[in-house]
Each structure stands twice: as structure tokens, then as C-alpha cells.
Amino acid sequence: MHSSELVNGKQVIERVKAQGTRPLIRISSTFFWHLSSDYDLEPIQSLQALAVDVRKQAGEDESEVQTYEKMKVGTQVQN
């Protein structure tokens, strides 16, 4: 059995932002278990562009944004 959790409470989001230790979006490692270890993972271009727009509207500095390179599922699971 798998569970999913959506946290959209404003207080929770603000607390996560204030901590600055993790992204607001997180994908459970269980998700990757269902994919072949040699499957390529790469950023979705349309979502990447949307994230840039959202950060600009929020006045965030783009130079501090983490980038994600293409990698194999097996590498993601090991990390």
C-alpha cells in the first residue's frame, strides 16, 4: 500500500520556506522504486519555465536556484 500526502496549509508552507532546508515540492523515493533503474529522469521543460516565472513574481534571486541534470533512476535512488 502506498500513501500520498498533499500539504497545502499556508502555515506549513511558510514554515518550510523559513527553514530553507528543503524544497516545497518533494517526490517520495517509493515513486522511483516503480521505475526501471536505467530509466532517464530529466526536468520537464514546461514546469521548469513555470518555476522561473513564479520565482520572478516572488522576487527571488535566480542565481541561488538549484539545477537538476538528467540522471538515471538508479542514481536518484542511491543519492
Side-chain angles (χ1 to χ4, degrees):
M1 174 177 266
H2 302 285
S3 66
S4 298
E5 181 180 353
L6 173 63
V7 178
N8 63 357
K10 199 168 189 113
Q11 292 175 332
V12 173
I13 292 171
E14 292 304 319
R15 185 174 26 144
V16 170
K17 279 183 178 179
Q19 290 174 346
T21 58
R22 63 182 188 160
L24 291 176
I25 297 173
R26 184 178 145 314
I27 299 174
S28 170
S29 59
T30 306
F31 170 79
F32 298 108
W33 182 80
H34 294 284
L35 300 174
S36 171
S37 64
D38 62 346
Y39 183 84
D40 288 323
L41 295 174
E42 60 186 308
I44 300 170
Q45 297 300 319
S46 60
L47 294 179
Q48 226 172 5
L50 178 61
V52 169
D53 290 342
V54 168
R55 285 190 297 269
K56 281 182 185 176
Q57 289 176 6
E60 293 181 17
D61 184 5
E62 282 293 313
S63 66
E64 298 178 15
V65 173
Q66 183 173 355
T67 58
Y68 298 93
E69 303 297 326
K70 185 175 177 178
M71 70 171 61
K72 299 285 185 189
V73 167
T75 303
Q76 172 66 26
V77 171
Q78 288 175 348
N79 292 343

